[in-house]
Amino acid sequence: MTWGMSLLAQAQSTPTASPLVSVNSVGMKFVRIPAGEFMMGSNETVASLQADFPQLEVKRLDELSDEMPLHLVKISRAFDLGQTEVTRAQFEQFLNLSGYVPESVRDKTGGYGYSVQHDRNRPEKADAFAGRDPAYSWKTPGFEQANDHPVVNITWHDAMAMAKWLSQKEGVTYRLPTEAEWEYACKAGTQTRFPHGNDPQTLTKWANLFDAAATPHWQRWQDKALPGNDGHAFTSPVASYPPNAFGLYDMVGNAWEWVSDHYAENYYKTSPAIDPQGPDAGHLKVRRGGSWHTWPIYARCSYRNINAPDSRYTLLGMRLLREVAP
């Protein structure tokens, strides 16, 4: 691909300009992400990861092979991406104006939530959170949230419903980003693990992840926590940390973000070089970016995680994409 490196250099130089920010009809801010190229995935060896994540078992590092091979991807069209994750206030506005009922309420099984009793009493291999339980939903994740915190406990179907409603309301296409679009936006011209560098020890300055603020609630995992304390044991207001080079906030941490793709472990070996859309079918959907409860190894831009599309979790939210006319 002789066109590869020249366009890659162009993509890496673009984020230095001030981001073009627009506001939609319900007050959501979007940043224009230019077309370009980037290296998707990772080529880090287990040995190189062990050097910076020595507390993790080799088995966990071996499981990251679905990020390989590192490969060149072209994003052929500019797009607008939510400057922040969708907030509770924005999601509630969607519900009030559309009449949509979130899946956790509609199926009466509820979501997940933080519970002191659950964490103290659960077996070692049980889920870290209580649920499914009708006591938990996007409104009640088991910890206090303000309107400017990211909405959580939403399913992939809930996210798609909000995108469809906005599309019909405004006459333009809203959707979830693809894995490729999401990772391109996260890396923002960099080739580092995180949008702001490689060193996980500095992350408390840049992202809301699992750190000393959260360890009192999960003593069993304190050896996995970042040493700093960002003051947020759970979610934080969106845009509380510095943006990446594209002007996007919380691309890592705060809430996991649904993307549109089905998941396949070996998809990168055969994926198209231009605008990959993910496998044609599958039972699982991809989520990206980590959350307030995420260990640093899982907050890298290249990390891929998965859930069933009807999953609702106290860590899991969304960021919407708005298509730009050619």
Side-chain angles (χ1 to χ4, degrees), residues 18-22 30-32 80:
S18 297
L20 176 62
V21 180
S22 57
F30 286 81
V31 175
R32 179 65 49 87
D80 291 338

Side-chain angles (χ1 to χ4, degrees), residues 1 40 71-74 180 267-268 270-278:
M1 299 182 182
M40 186 171 184
H71 57 292
L72 187 67
V73 169
K74 179 180 180 181
Y267 178 66
Y268 287 1
T270 58
S271 62
I274 301 175
D275 299 325
Q277 302 296 302

Side-chain angles (χ1 to χ4, degrees), residues 114 119 210-219 222 229 233:
Y114 171 71
D119 188 62
F210 187 66
D211 63 7
T215 51
H217 304 280
W218 288 276
Q219 289 287 337
Q222 58 184 324
N229 187 325

Side-chain angles (χ1 to χ4, degrees), residues 145-218:
Q145 284 190 303
N147 283 336
D148 59 353
H149 284 225
V151 66
V152 294
N153 254 331
I154 60 166
T155 68
W156 187 87
H157 301 118
D158 293 337
M160 293 292 287
M162 186 173 184
K164 180 179 179 180
W165 174 76
L166 279 168
S167 299
Q168 293 172 341
K169 185 177 188 299
E170 297 186 4
V172 295
T173 299
Y174 285 83
R175 57 178 174 81
L176 291 172
T178 64
E179 268 203 275
E181 289 166 336
W182 188 95
E183 189 171 321
Y184 173 63
C186 183
K187 289 181 172 176
T190 71
Q191 296 186 63
T192 50
R193 291 170 178 159
F194 312 105
H196 307 94
N198 282 320
D199 185 2
Q201 300 304 311
T202 66
L203 280 172
T204 50
K205 300 176 183 178
W206 302 104
N208 182 15
L209 297 167
F210 187 66
D211 63 7
T215 51
H217 304 280
W218 288 276

Side-chain angles (χ1 to χ4, degrees), residues 170-305:
E170 297 186 4
V172 295
T173 299
Y174 285 83
R175 57 178 174 81
L176 291 172
T178 64
E179 268 203 275
E181 289 166 336
W182 188 95
E183 189 171 321
Y184 173 63
C186 183
K187 289 181 172 176
T190 71
Q191 296 186 63
T192 50
R193 291 170 178 159
F194 312 105
H196 307 94
N198 282 320
D199 185 2
Q201 300 304 311
T202 66
L203 280 172
T204 50
K205 300 176 183 178
W206 302 104
N208 182 15
L209 297 167
F210 187 66
D211 63 7
T215 51
H217 304 280
W218 288 276
Q219 289 287 337
R220 73 190 72 211
W221 293 324
Q222 58 184 324
D223 64 316
K224 307 295 195 301
L226 288 165
N229 187 325
D230 62 6
H232 299 292
F234 300 99
T235 55
S236 60
V238 298
S240 293
Y241 299 81
N244 73 2
F246 274 146
L248 300 167
Y249 295 92
D250 300 315
M251 288 300 290
V252 296
N254 221 9
W256 287 97
E257 300 173 14
W258 286 112
V259 296
S260 62
D261 303 37
H262 294 297
Y263 174 77
E265 182 177 359
N266 297 318
Y267 178 66
Y268 287 1
K269 293 180 179 179
T270 58
S271 62
I274 301 175
D275 299 325
Q277 302 296 302
D280 293 333
H283 299 294
L284 298 172
K285 291 291 186 178
V286 180
R287 62 179 187 175
R288 289 297 203 114
S291 75
W292 55 269
H293 192 69
T294 297
W295 304 344
I297 188 73
Y298 302 126
R300 295 170 299 110
C301 291
S302 59
Y303 179 66
R304 309 171 72 202
N305 205 330

Side-chain angles (χ1 to χ4, degrees), residues 28-44:
M28 299 172 66
K29 293 182 179 180
F30 286 81
V31 175
R32 179 65 49 87
I33 308 300
E37 279 188 341
F38 76 113
M39 300 303 296
M40 186 171 184
S42 172
N43 62 355
E44 284 201 82

